[in-house]
Every structure is written in structure tokens, then in C-alpha cells.
Amino acid sequence: LSIAVEAVINLEESRSGRELLEKLSHLSETDIEGLNVLLEQWTIKDALSVLDEIDNRLQTIEAISGLAGDPKIDELTYLHPLVTDARWLFGYEYDSSEYTSNRQLRTVAKKLFHASAEKFGFESEIKRPDIVVLPHASISVTGTDVPDHESGFFRTGTILIIELKRGGSVLNRADKDQALGYVEDFVNSRELLGEPAVRAFLVGDTLADELVGRYSVGENGKLFVTTFGQLVDTARHRLFNLRNKLKDRYQELTGQDLIQRAEQLKMELGD
């Protein structure tokens, strides 16, 4: 009883203590036991860090799934930043802060896509130096820097290119050939030191019948052609199908909810 009284006093003195007491008063016996186990194995800070990361990733999947096929949504404002900032969607190996845009990549990208400084990026080259906005697509170009063992200087190790077509797009042979041309140009660029590996992903709503999933450009270049739907399904598997286990948390999301969450995610990813 004295422990309970002391706990209540401490909670009452904290800013959110009363709200927490009200929540605790409505917990079932099972929830109380689960909370006790949680607090034995985790600190609150660590548990929140893990849950926030999982929630952000699941929200990203839901936002992409809900927005990708909606022709009324401004993809360049909501959808494209979500996808290009969530590199883990394309593979665990890309889930790294090492993928950034450097001066060499920007120089090659500007020359390749004929983008002037004013048209490079969503708002400005400083805020989004990795994204090129084209009439019917946006392209993110990032890379990793690795040390050259002989010279000691850093060079580009792997280049990641993500090209997203607008909603409702059917990827055809011309789209594939154009993307392959981008890969070939980066592979053969003389302005990039060393021989960087180039991995490109071309994403649209649907694929034409003649397209397959993977194309190679020499030994260092690869292009993967996919759809937003396949991207979402693969991402759900990568998250161990947690979406199905937490379906009550996300199943009632409306289009407006997705837009608001997309804006919130943009702010969080921007930070």
C-alpha cells in the first residue's frame, strides 16, 4: 500500500501523471501482466525508440499503398519524398545514412538529366540535392563514399537511383530503355572516380507484358523494374507481416489520414 501511495504521489507531481493513472485504472489483468513483463525487459526509452521506428515504417507502407493509385494526389509532394527517403523499401543494404548526395553525383546528375540549378530538387538544391524532378517522374540519386586503398582518397562506392513514375503509369519498353540509359551513363561516367556499382529501381503502377524484373549493364550496373504494389508487399514481408498483426491500428485510415501522416512523415524524415 505504501508503494502504491508513493507511486500515486510521484505520478500526480508529473505533467502527464494523471493521464497515466487513468489509463492504468482501465487496464485488464492481462495488460497489467504484460506491462510488468515489458518494464522488466525494456526501458521506456528503448521501447519507445523501437515502437516509433516500427510505426514510422508501417505508416510509410500504408501511405504508399493508399496514395500510389490515387490520381488526385500530388505525388511529387507526398508520395515521392516518402519512397525516396525510405531506402529500406528496396533492400536492407540501402537502409543506411551513408547514402547521400555529394558534389560528384550532383554534377553528373545535372549533366545527365539536363537539370539547371533552379529545377534541381523539389524546393531548392540545398534542401533536396538528391532529387531531380522531371515532367512525368522524379529521380533520386544517392551514393556511398568508400576509401580507395591505394590513394587513400574517398570515392563513390555504390550509386542508388530510384525513378518513380506518376500515378496511373504503365511502365513500357521505352521507360525501361531510358532507365537503362541512365544506368549506363553513370557506369561509364568519367567524372566519377573508380568503378562504382550502380543499382537503379524503376517504379510505376503497372508493367507492360514485355517487361521483366531485372536488367544488367555490364558488370557494375543493374536495373530493377517494379510496381508500387510489389514494393508495398515486399516491405510488409520485410517487417515480418506486422501489418497483419496490428491491422486494427491501421485498417480505418482514410485518404485524408494518409495525407496527414504523409506530411508528418515528411517532417520526421526531413529532421
Side-chain angles (χ1 to χ4, degrees):
L1 181 60
S2 64
I3 294 175
V5 172
E6 182 179 354
V8 170
I9 293 174
N10 290 334
L11 287 173
E12 285 283 3
E13 292 177 350
S14 65
R15 185 168 53 185
S16 304
R18 182 175 293 275
E19 293 180 6
L20 178 56
L21 279 174
E22 291 179 356
K23 292 182 176 66
L24 291 173
S25 68
H26 292 91
L27 289 181
S28 65
E29 182 178 350
T30 301
D31 287 338
I32 291 175
E33 292 177 356
L35 179 60
N36 185 49
V37 172
L38 175 65
L39 294 177
E40 284 182 350
Q41 299 178 359
W42 293 78
T43 65
I44 296 297
K45 181 179 179 181
D46 288 344
L48 284 176
S49 296
V50 173
L51 292 174
D52 285 346
E53 182 64 29
I54 293 174
D55 191 41
N56 280 338
R57 296 196 177 205
L58 289 175
Q59 285 186 49
T60 298
I61 294 174
E62 293 305 310
I64 294 171
S65 178
L67 299 177
D70 190 344
K72 299 178 182 179
I73 296 299
D74 183 355
E75 302 92 350
L76 294 178
T77 300
Y78 299 107
L79 181 62
H80 292 225
L82 285 179
V83 176
T84 52
D85 283 325
R87 289 184 294 270
W88 60 271
L89 291 166
F90 301 92
Y92 299 117
E93 63 271 31
Y94 306 117
D95 189 13
S96 170
S97 58
E98 293 180 358
Y99 280 90
T100 58
S101 176
N102 59 36
R103 184 182 298 274
Q104 286 186 350
L105 286 178
R106 290 196 294 271
T107 299
V108 176
K110 284 183 180 181
K111 181 180 296 185
L112 175 59
F113 302 118
H114 306 290
S116 64
E118 291 76 21
K119 295 181 180 180
F120 198 84
F122 282 101
E123 298 179 31
S124 70
E125 186 175 353
I126 296 176
K127 291 185 178 181
R128 290 308 306 253
D130 61 309
I131 294 182
V132 183
V133 180
L134 302 178
H136 302 291
S138 68
I139 302 176
S140 170
V141 182
T142 55
T144 59
D145 290 331
V146 297
D148 183 90
H149 297 296
E150 293 185 3
S151 66
F153 296 114
F154 277 78
R155 61 176 179 80
T156 303
T158 302
I159 298 173
L160 174 63
I161 303 172
I162 303 172
E163 180 177 0
L164 305 177
K165 294 294 186 180
R166 286 185 175 273
S169 59
V170 179
L171 299 180
N172 53 37
R173 183 176 299 174
D175 296 320
K176 179 262 296 182
D177 290 342
Q178 185 179 52
L180 278 174
Y182 298 155
V183 176
E184 185 175 358
D185 287 340
F186 273 97
V187 168
N188 297 325
S189 174
R190 296 182 179 179
E191 298 182 29
L192 294 172
L193 300 178
E195 297 179 350
V198 180
R199 300 293 179 263
F201 293 85
L202 175 62
V203 188
D205 274 358
T206 57
L207 305 182
D209 293 337
E210 70 268 16
L211 293 185
V212 295
R214 174 176 171 176
Y215 301 88
S216 297
V217 178
E219 296 182 357
N220 294 332
K222 287 184 173 59
L223 169 67
F224 302 90
V225 182
T226 187
T227 64
F228 287 109
Q230 187 178 27
L231 199 63
V232 167
D233 290 341
T234 303
R236 285 174 176 163
H237 284 291
R238 288 200 174 108
L239 289 177
F240 312 108
N241 287 318
L242 286 174
R243 167 61 171 80
N244 296 333
K245 298 178 182 179
L246 301 172
K247 60 182 179 181
D248 292 340
R249 182 178 177 86
Y250 301 98
Q251 66 180 356
E252 300 298 330
L253 291 178
T254 64
Q256 188 62 37
D257 293 331
L258 291 169
I259 291 176
Q260 292 176 354
R261 292 197 176 203
E263 291 177 331
Q264 181 64 30
L265 279 171
K266 269 177 56 182
M267 295 175 59
E268 293 174 359
L269 292 170
D271 293 339

